[in-house]
Amino acid sequence: MIKKIILTGFGTVGREFCRLIIQAKTSLEKKYKLQFQVVGIVGRHGLLYDERGLDLEKLLSYGRGSEALGTYARQHHLQLYEDNLVDGTVNADIL
């Protein structure tokens, strides 16, 4: 089962949660048949969203906070959604 997630923030807690998802990926799949896929992160300047999932390792390499979200968006040709963050078309759980 794939569980899609949108995180609120990419500071200390959000970044550490992403690291934990990466580290626990194999054991979660084997033991619980569960995969977490971060499809979005809400930052100060908007929502970074990609329904295919974000590349967490690359995102972590860009630093922290809204600056990292902006860099990721530019590098991956995505936009930061500034309004209507969740309008019914986003299929994910929000943390």
Side-chain angles (χ1 to χ4, degrees), residues 1-93:
M1 172 194 310
I2 297 175
K3 197 70 163 166
K4 294 187 175 191
I5 299 170
I6 295 176
L7 300 176
T8 53
F10 195 62
T12 303
V13 175
R15 286 174 50 83
E16 190 59 31
F17 187 75
C18 289
R19 284 189 189 100
L20 289 172
I21 289 173
I22 293 167
Q23 291 171 357
K25 181 180 179 178
T26 303
S27 62
L28 288 171
E29 288 177 11
K30 284 183 180 178
K31 190 170 184 177
Y32 302 106
K33 298 187 182 351
L34 178 65
Q35 296 176 339
F36 288 110
Q37 182 181 50
V38 177
V39 295
I41 301 176
V42 178
R44 185 178 334 135
H45 303 297
L47 168 68
L48 173 64
Y49 180 77
D50 187 343
E51 67 184 14
R52 299 166 296 180
L54 302 174
D55 183 334
L56 298 181
E57 291 184 18
K58 279 193 178 174
L59 183 57
L60 286 166
S61 76
Y62 295 139
R64 62 184 300 141
S66 293
E67 294 78 20
L69 301 180
T71 300
Y72 186 96
R74 286 188 299 278
Q75 294 294 323
H76 296 271
H77 309 290
L78 299 171
Q79 72 178 62
L80 288 175
Y81 297 93
E82 296 179 11
D83 56 359
N84 296 325
L85 295 179
V86 179
D87 64 0
T89 61
V90 175
N91 181 20
D93 297 310

